[in-house]
């Protein structure tokens, strides 16, 4: 059984919680397999130069916003640090970070070919586009995980 991860922006936690039981989250980036705690924390560390432990200590790092009674769907926060790092990064920096991210143990060698690395770079660029829009609107980033 897999999990589906939809990354999206919202003005605040209450608005994000409203995405718990919608069919499709408007403007979401599909990040299936990219968990918001460890993997996005690692990406933030790569982009900002902060340690992973510092990223994990941020109170908005994967904090629970809402959940269904059976926990089949949950909404969690992402940090403003990852939003700002993605939004402010150049295309070159995003590609370098994506390549380094793909070599982390969480990906288990999944992104070691040029084609695979390109797919991961495209995902990071999509996260960056979402982050730019979110920052411009004064929104935060969230992840809706559906089991």
């Amino acid at each position: 059984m897999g999990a589906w991860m939809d990354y999206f922006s919202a003005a605040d936690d209450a608005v994000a919680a409203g995405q718990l039981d919608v069919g499709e989250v408007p403007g979401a980036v599909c990040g299936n397999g990219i968990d918001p705690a460890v993997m996005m924390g690692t990406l933030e560390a790569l982009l900002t130069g902060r340690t992973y432990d510092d990223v994990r200590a941020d109170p908005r790092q994967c904090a629970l916003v809402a959940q269904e009674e059976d926990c089949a769907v949950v909404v969690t926060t992402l940090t403003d640090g990852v939003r700002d790092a993605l939004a402010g990064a150049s295309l070159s920096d995003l590609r370098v970070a994506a390549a380094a991210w793909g070599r982390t143990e969480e990906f288990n060698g999944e992104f070691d070919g040029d084609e695979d690395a390109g797919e991961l770079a495209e995902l990071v660029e999509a996260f960056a586009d979402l982050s730019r829009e979110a920052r411009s609107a004064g929104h935060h980033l969230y992840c809706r995980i559906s089991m």
Side-chain angles (χ1 to χ4, degrees):
M1 177 157 109
W4 292 269
M5 285 86 166
D6 293 311
Y7 289 86
F8 65 98
S9 72
D12 58 37
D13 292 357
V15 173
Q19 301 302 311
L20 185 66
D21 57 5
V22 299
E24 198 172 306
V25 180
V29 172
C30 177
N32 291 343
I34 307 297
D35 102 76
V38 176
M39 296 173 105
M40 291 302 283
T42 300
L43 179 60
E44 180 175 349
L46 288 167
L47 285 166
T48 63
R50 294 173 62 199
T51 68
Y52 176 76
D53 289 338
D54 285 345
V55 171
R56 290 287 297 156
D58 188 311
R60 286 196 60 82
Q61 211 280 336
C62 206
L64 183 65
V65 172
Q67 67 183 21
E68 286 186 345
E69 194 170 307
D70 62 359
C71 296
V73 181
V74 299
V75 174
T76 65
T77 60
L78 274 72
T79 68
D80 291 339
V82 75
R83 178 202 61 197
D84 294 345
L86 284 162
S90 69
L91 183 58
S92 174
D93 289 341
L94 292 171
R95 290 183 178 161
V96 168
W101 193 37
R103 290 188 300 271
T104 61
E105 70 180 86
E106 292 83 19
F107 284 106
N108 203 24
E110 182 180 347
F111 292 100
D112 52 7
D114 287 342
E115 183 177 318
D116 295 331
E119 289 177 27
L120 190 57
E122 287 176 10
L123 178 61
V124 171
E125 290 167 25
F127 285 148
D129 290 342
L130 175 68
S131 296
R132 286 184 202 100
E133 292 170 12
R135 188 170 67 175
S136 175
H139 289 185
H140 303 285
L141 295 181
Y142 299 87
C143 181
R144 184 181 74 174
I145 306 165
S146 306
M147 301 294 191

